Amino acid sequence: MTQVQHHLDTPASQISNRVAVTQGRPDYRDSGLVFPVGFTFGSATASYQVEGAASEDGRGPSIWDTFSKTPGKVWNGDTGDVACDHYHRLDEDLDLMASLGLDAYRFSIAWPRIQASGRGPANQAGIDFYSRLVDGLLERGIKPVATLYHWDLPQPLEDLGGWASRATADAFEDYAAIVGTALGDRVHTWTTLNEPWCSAYLGYGQGGHAPGRHEPAAALAAVHHLNLAHGRALTALRATSTGTPEYSVTLNFHVLRGVGEGAPEAIRRIDGLANRAFTGPMLRGEYPADLLEDTASVTDWSFVQDGDLAAIHQPIDVLGVNYYSTATVRLWDGVSEKQMNDGHKGAAGGTAWPGSDQAVEFVEQPGPYTAMGWNIAPEGLEELLLSLSEQFPDQPLMITENGAAFEDEVSEDGSVPDVERLDYLRRHFTAAHRALSQGVDLRGYFVWSLLDNFEWGYGYAKRFGIVRVDFETLERTVKDSGHWYADLVRERAIPA
Ligand code: GCO
């Protein structure tokens, strides 16, 4: 992810205010907290980040193949051509998951493995790979949690307009019916989209993600077509799945703090663009009026057709929540240049729409930070879970991603003492437990990530795994955080 943090000139007084507020709060470093019976402990990956085998067995190119091969887009020119070679090491990785005792594994299906061009009949070799994965999980007592779209759009669909075009939502519905028919007898949980915020704003607005476009109006059209794809896919999955799967979507919420006089306004705007643009249609059946107003100079939203909101507004069994850090925003005047959605997912998105005279900028936050530069704020996770359960009282929640990148070092004995990641996880599991004990209906927690992998614009430079991958030899080594997590899963409680 492109991390642009400009205007690092937050007045010191405002930063120290913020620090003062957090003083006296618990440090979230608990042990011994017991999780409820039936709570799901898992780990997550995504197809392009781990699979490799990019042009094997009929897989077509995705927008991430194109983007990563475009000079200057990804750190070091890294690509997902080989990644963790998970495609060829499936059995080894399944055994690894079993050795950690995982209850569930969250993976994504590469659309271009199933339909190389994004349309037409299914590629049997692609279906077979995911069928083997699902069977391998079930044989080991691990629940398969499958995401249909974790950003690898078939390139031919992008050539026809990508998510800015309604035709992509039509194609997604057909793809959902294919995978529902093939795997819907065995998948435990279906997730339609992963973080549509990233797909829309980073892909079509800020441009730090594939397909790398800088078109504000296209980004908002993409928001709607992704929402529509979600709703239509749910209907198609329900019609074709013969088992009893649960249905979900994963969103990356922005937990916002504000500085300066315009803070409430800055928070309202970013909450609209980043959070309510998705929860509004998906969970309430409407786009927030203030969002439509804020963006009126960019688009008239005429891409929203009759019947779309009803199609999008479908019940889901669990809402997937990805959380890494908080974001701090401030309103500032006199925008002359076109600028939108700077920043990264954790603290994403300066948003000044062309024509507006005030912008929202993202300002530096107090540390400590992970290797991504994201601030470590477990209280933000607790706050987010409480806020979601207040906004959507009947909606069960699932943390579908939480984790951290750090500069790991390998000891002489080959072990990986990743103390900082272990501490990060302990603090966020504590935060989740605090939310549970305040009555939040939280069903599970997936650590991002099972393996070190291709971290999008950062290539292989940032390691999120609880298992180390040596990208020369592709050898896997469980890090100390992985051993700690295995203890947690076994004990059903946060270990000492
Ligand atoms: C995302 C994705 C993951 C990332 C992870 C760390 O949220 O960006 O779901 O693919 O790798 O979040 O950035």
Side-chain angles (χ1 to χ4, degrees):
M1 249 144 287
T2 324
Q3 187 198 336
V4 188
Q5 281 203 335
H6 55 172
H7 306 286
L8 301 178
D9 54 351
T10 313
S13 58
Q14 286 166 356
I15 288 187
S16 51
N17 279 346
R18 164 98 182 87
V19 171
V21 172
T22 58
Q23 270 169 8
R25 287 196 190 169
D27 73 357
Y28 289 81
R29 287 193 178 92
D30 271 335
S31 60
L33 300 174
V34 180
F35 283 81
V37 174
F39 193 84
T40 298
F41 294 106
S43 190
T45 64
S47 46
Y48 190 71
Q49 296 183 273
V50 299
E51 284 179 3
S55 45
E56 280 177 52
D57 294 341
R59 179 187 179 279
S62 80
I63 55 175
W64 269 97
D65 294 283
T66 309
F67 190 75
S68 64
K69 285 170 187 158
T70 307
K73 297 295 187 192
V74 174
W75 183 85
N76 195 39
D78 289 347
T79 74
D81 280 357
V82 177
C84 307
D85 199 31
H86 171 71
Y87 189 80
H88 296 120
R89 290 163 198 258
L90 181 59
D91 292 333
E92 178 188 345
D93 288 342
L94 286 164
D95 287 344
L96 186 61
M97 294 176 218
S99 77
L100 295 172
L102 300 184
D103 299 329
Y105 174 56
R106 174 175 179 257
F107 61 95
S108 77
I109 298 173
W111 187 353
R113 273 196 206 288
I114 305 297
Q115 294 172 293
S117 70
R119 291 171 183 279
N123 168 31
Q124 193 56 44
I127 301 272
D128 289 348
F129 172 71
Y130 295 106
S131 203
R132 279 206 297 130
L133 168 56
V134 167
D135 286 343
L137 290 168
L138 293 173
E139 279 159 22
R140 291 164 179 82
I142 303 170
K143 294 173 192 160
V145 176
T147 300
L148 265 58
Y149 187 72
H150 200 129
W151 309 351
D152 35 8
L153 184 71
Q155 180 63 44
L157 291 182
E158 175 55 33
D159 298 340
L160 297 170
W163 286 111
S165 157
R166 190 174 177 94
T168 299
D170 298 338
F172 193 70
E173 183 176 0
D174 296 341
Y175 159 60
I178 291 174
V179 294
T181 305
L183 306 171
D185 54 339
R186 287 159 291 157
V187 160
H188 182 276
T189 303
W190 284 121
T191 302
T192 53
L193 307 173
N194 174 73
E195 302 193 356
W197 180 91
C198 292
S199 305
Y201 296 111
L202 299 184
Y204 293 84
Q206 182 256 9
H209 274 198
R213 287 164 59 178
H214 301 275
E215 301 162 43
L220 292 171
V223 166
H224 179 61
H225 296 136
L226 284 153
N227 282 328
L228 185 60
H230 155 78
R232 295 236 197 112
L234 282 179
T235 304
L237 289 168
R238 283 197 164 99
T240 50
S241 296
T242 56
T244 50
E246 298 196 340
Y247 297 90
S248 70
V249 63
T250 281
L251 302 176
N252 58 315
F253 291 94
H254 284 55
V255 179
L256 296 161
R257 284 77 173 86
V259 290
E261 270 180 26
E265 169 68 4
I267 289 177
R268 182 196 61 73
R269 282 201 215 173
I270 300 301
D271 181 48
L273 279 166
N275 299 330
R276 291 181 287 115
F278 302 100
T279 55
M282 288 178 181
L283 301 176
R284 300 195 194 282
E286 61 188 17
Y287 281 104
D290 61 328
L291 169 71
L292 303 185
E293 211 175 294
D294 289 347
T295 54
S297 64
V298 182
T299 178
D300 59 6
W301 291 77
S302 54
F303 41 74
V304 182
Q305 298 185 5
D306 283 354
D308 283 2
L309 286 160
I312 298 168
H313 187 207
Q314 304 283 330
I316 50 173
D317 298 297
V318 278
L319 173 61
V321 176
N322 288 1
Y323 174 82
Y324 291 88
S325 64
T326 59
T328 303
V329 291
R330 152 167 90 182
L331 205 61
W332 59 297
D333 294 319
V335 183
S336 50
E337 83 273 38
K338 196 167 84 175
Q339 165 219 351
M340 62 176 283
N341 304 313
D342 288 345
H344 61 83
K345 166 195 53 194
T351 44
W353 302 95
S356 73
D357 58 358
Q358 279 185 318
V360 178
E361 65 173 346
F362 282 70
V363 297
E364 192 180 26
Q365 306 186 82
Y369 306 103
T370 69
M372 299 296 284
W374 300 348
N375 64 309
I376 301 172
E379 70 281 1
L381 176 59
E382 179 184 355
E383 180 185 319
L384 172 61
L385 296 170
L386 287 166
S387 148
L388 288 172
S389 91
E390 201 178 290
Q391 293 175 63
F392 309 105
D394 302 321
Q395 182 63 66
L397 307 174
M398 179 92 100
I399 297 166
T400 37
E401 281 180 33
N402 174 253
F406 286 105
E407 310 279 346
D408 296 329
E409 276 170 31
V410 184
S411 304
E412 267 174 34
D413 66 0
S415 64
V416 186
D418 57 337
V419 197
E420 292 167 300
R421 182 174 297 99
L422 196 158
D423 183 64
Y424 178 100
L425 291 175
R426 175 190 303 286
R427 298 178 75 184
H428 287 78
F429 272 102
T430 300
H433 196 279
R434 288 173 61 91
L436 275 165
S437 60
Q438 291 164 81
V440 171
D441 187 359
L442 179 65
R443 301 287 172 91
Y445 198 131
F446 290 74
V447 173
W448 184 271
S449 176
L450 177 69
L451 303 169
D452 289 340
N453 61 44
F454 176 83
E455 178 52 28
W456 309 113
Y458 293 93
Y460 298 99
K462 302 293 177 195
R463 294 173 176 274
F464 275 86
I466 52 172
V467 174
R468 179 179 175 85
V469 176
D470 178 326
F471 290 106
E472 300 289 317
T473 64
L474 297 168
E475 192 189 340
R476 278 84 162 128
T477 307
V478 179
K479 302 179 191 178
D480 283 4
S481 61
H483 293 299
W484 176 88
Y485 189 44
D487 289 347
L488 192 162
V489 180
R490 197 180 48 251
E491 304 293 331
R492 321 305 290 179
I494 302 180

